[in-house]
Amino acid sequence: MTDGTPRTAGPTEPAAPAEKPAAPAEKPAEKAAELTSLERTALYKSLGNPLRRRILDYLGRHGEANSTVLARELGESSGTTSYHLRKLAEQKLIEEIPEKSGGRERWWRSLPFSHTTPDPATMTTEEYAAAEHLALLKIEVDTGLFRRAHEEYRGPQGWAQVQRTGTWMTKTDLHDFVRAYQELLDRYSHPDDAVPEGARRVNLRFYAAPDPVGEWEGEPTGP
């Protein structure tokens, strides 16, 4: 999911939709339909729900599960997990596994998912609030990953890797770099149904933040 942290102060009123900023290139056949503001709001609320996040995390790590398995593993009732599974399915974040489901026994797996959060200035008040809540939750997770990467670093040949740099780019350079970054992910990643022996699930994050305007003797280094 490609997104950013909304500004501290949200929009004062709904704004007209703006052109979608440059995002990682997608194959035309895989490009998802543009979501409406209401659909994005529902998506952010769903991803910000603690139990639904735990369900998605479990499915991402274990591949599949039913409501009974999730209830046992997450300490919830099967009725509760069943309800949240149906809601996640409605948003096409997961899907039922037909060959394993029968009667009231329904098995689920996660679906490939990609989304680019729009400019906060184009959001309605409700959408902005949901996006901000989700972004703050992600910052907590990412802070933990950042600390782990440093704590578990065992040199350039280890599993944990940390790269930090600063350089000069135009906005076009930056957008081209982001596309190339996505192409690298596609080249070196393996789908869930074709994981090679010895592979581990790896968490990667990419951020780009220009220096503030005026920091370099008045040069226009910011937006």
Side-chain angles (χ1 to χ4, degrees), residues 82-100:
S82 179
Y83 168 80
H84 287 287
L85 283 166
R86 292 196 302 272
K87 291 300 181 182
L88 290 170
E90 288 175 6
Q91 294 179 313
K92 296 180 172 56
L93 295 172
I94 65 173
E95 68 176 359
E96 189 175 350
I97 306 175
E99 59 271 23
K100 294 197 67 172

Side-chain angles (χ1 to χ4, degrees), residues 55-76:
I55 289 174
L56 290 172
D57 180 67
Y58 185 92
L59 291 176
R61 293 175 183 276
H62 299 277
E64 59 186 43
N66 61 17
S67 59
T68 303
V69 170
L70 288 168
R72 182 183 67 242
E73 295 297 321
L74 305 182
E76 301 285 344

Side-chain angles (χ1 to χ4, degrees), residues 25-31 186:
E26 297 175 300
K27 298 177 183 178
E30 299 175 351
K31 191 171 183 178
D186 294 340

Side-chain angles (χ1 to χ4, degrees), residues 40-57:
R40 290 195 301 267
T41 301
L43 173 66
Y44 301 150
K45 287 182 177 180
S46 213
L47 293 174
N49 180 285
L51 181 53
R52 292 182 193 178
R53 288 173 66 84
R54 293 171 65 202
I55 289 174
L56 290 172
D57 180 67

Side-chain angles (χ1 to χ4, degrees), residues 4 13-14 19-20 24 57 66-67 78 86 90 101 115 121 128 135 138 143-144 148 165 179 197 208 218 221:
E13 59 181 333
E19 182 179 353
K20 186 175 181 179
D57 180 67
N66 61 17
S67 59
S78 59
R86 292 196 302 272
E90 288 175 6
S101 301
H115 173 71
Y128 175 84
K138 289 182 175 181
T143 299
R148 273 190 52 210
T165 189
R179 292 188 184 95
E197 184 177 354
T221 59

